[in-house]
Amino acid sequence: MDDRLFKTAMGKFATGVTVITTEVDGEVHGMTANAFMSVSIDPKLVLISIADKARMLDLIKQSGTFAVNILTEEQQEMSMIFAGQIKENRDIEFERFEGMPIIEDSLVSLACNVYDTHVAGDHTLFVGEVQNLQLQDSDPLAIYQGKYKQIRDKATSEV
Ligand code: FAD
Ligand code: NAD
C-alpha cells in the first residue's frame, strides 16, 4: 500500500494536538504529537507513539518521564514550533509541574512516568502512568486532513 494513501486515510481521523515535553541533563525538548490516547483508569495510563527517527525517542528513554500538553486553539504556533514547521529558533519559557517542564497555558498537562514501552514497526509506544495533571477551561486545537482546525460549540460561537 502507498504511504500517501495510508496517511490520507489516517488524516480523516480528527484529533487534538499535543506537545510532548521531556528533560535530560537540564535540557528541555518538545515534540508535537497527535498519536495520543487514554488507556486505563486504574492505574491512570496514557499512550504516545514516537517515530524511530525522532530525537524525542532517546530522550524519553533516558529521562523515563514525559509530559503531554494538550494544546488550546490559541497554541497553534506551539504545534508548529515543536513539529519543525516554524524553522527559526524560538526562546520558549517552560513552566514546571511535578518536576517536569510543561507548556504554559495548555488545555491539559499530564505529568507521566514511563510505565511500559513497546516497539511497533517504525515507532515506539510509551505507556505513561499519570502522576498528576492540571487543566484549564478553554477550547482545543484540532487537526483534520493535515489542517489545523478550531472546535467550537456553534451556539457558543454565535453568542
Ligand atoms: P526536532 O525535530 O529536533 O524538534 C522539533 C522542533 O521543536 C524543532 O523545530 C526544535 O527547534 C523545536 N524544539 C524542541 N525543543 C525545543 C526547546 N526547548 N525550545 C525551543 N524549541 C524547541 N511524530 C511522532 O513521532 N509521533 C506523533 O504522534 C506525531 N504527531 C504529529 C502531529 C502533528 C499535527 C504534526 C504536525 C507532527 C507530528 N509528528 C509526530 C511529527 C513530529 O512532530 C516531527 O517529526 C518533529 O520534528 C520530531 O521532533 P524531534 O524529537 O525529532 O526533534
Ligand atoms: P499527514 O497527511 O502527513 O498525516 C496525516 C495522518 O497520517 C497523521 O495525523 C497520522 O495519523 C498519520 N501519519 C502521518 N505520518 C505518519 C507516520 N510517519 N507514522 C505514522 N502515522 C503517520 O499530515 P500532518 O498530520 O499535517 O503531518 C505533518 C507531518 O507530521 C508529516 O511529516 C507527518 O509524517 C508527521 N506526522 C507524524 C506522525 C507520527 O509519526 N505518528 C503523526 C502525525 C504527523
Side-chain angles (χ1 to χ4, degrees), residues 86-138:
I86 292 176
K87 297 292 175 202
E88 68 268 20
N89 280 348
R90 297 287 174 91
D91 207 2
I92 309 286
E93 285 279 331
F94 296 92
E95 195 181 320
R96 308 297 302 187
F97 179 60
E98 296 290 321
M100 295 182 207
I102 61 167
I103 307 283
E104 280 178 352
D105 300 325
S106 297
L107 191 57
V108 175
S109 292
L110 303 159
C112 303
N113 288 340
V114 174
Y115 177 89
D116 210 349
T117 303
H118 302 270
V119 173
D122 58 11
H123 280 57
T124 295
L125 310 180
F126 289 102
V127 178
E129 181 164 18
V130 179
Q131 302 303 304
N132 202 353
L133 64 82
Q134 65 181 36
L135 73 169
Q136 65 162 343
D137 193 17
S138 190

Side-chain angles (χ1 to χ4, degrees), residues 4 6-8 10-11 34-35 49 51 53 85 122-123 143 146:
R4 191 56 260 169
F6 181 74
K7 289 182 184 182
T8 300
M10 294 303 102
N34 71 341
S49 177
K53 62 175 191 232
Q85 293 171 329
D122 58 11
H123 280 57
I143 187 141

Side-chain angles (χ1 to χ4, degrees), residues 15-18 20 27-36 48-57 59 78-92 94 123 143 148:
T15 68
V17 182
T18 78
I20 310 299
E27 273 206 33
V28 178
H29 183 69
M31 190 198 101
T32 302
N34 71 341
F36 163 71
I48 58 171
S49 177
I50 307 291
D52 288 350
K53 62 175 191 232
R55 286 184 57 215
M56 183 57 91
L57 179 60
L59 295 172
M78 287 292 162
S79 175
M80 297 178 75
I81 289 169
F82 290 105
Q85 293 171 329
I86 292 176
K87 297 292 175 202
E88 68 268 20
N89 280 348
R90 297 287 174 91
D91 207 2
I92 309 286
F94 296 92
H123 280 57
I143 187 141
Y148 293 107

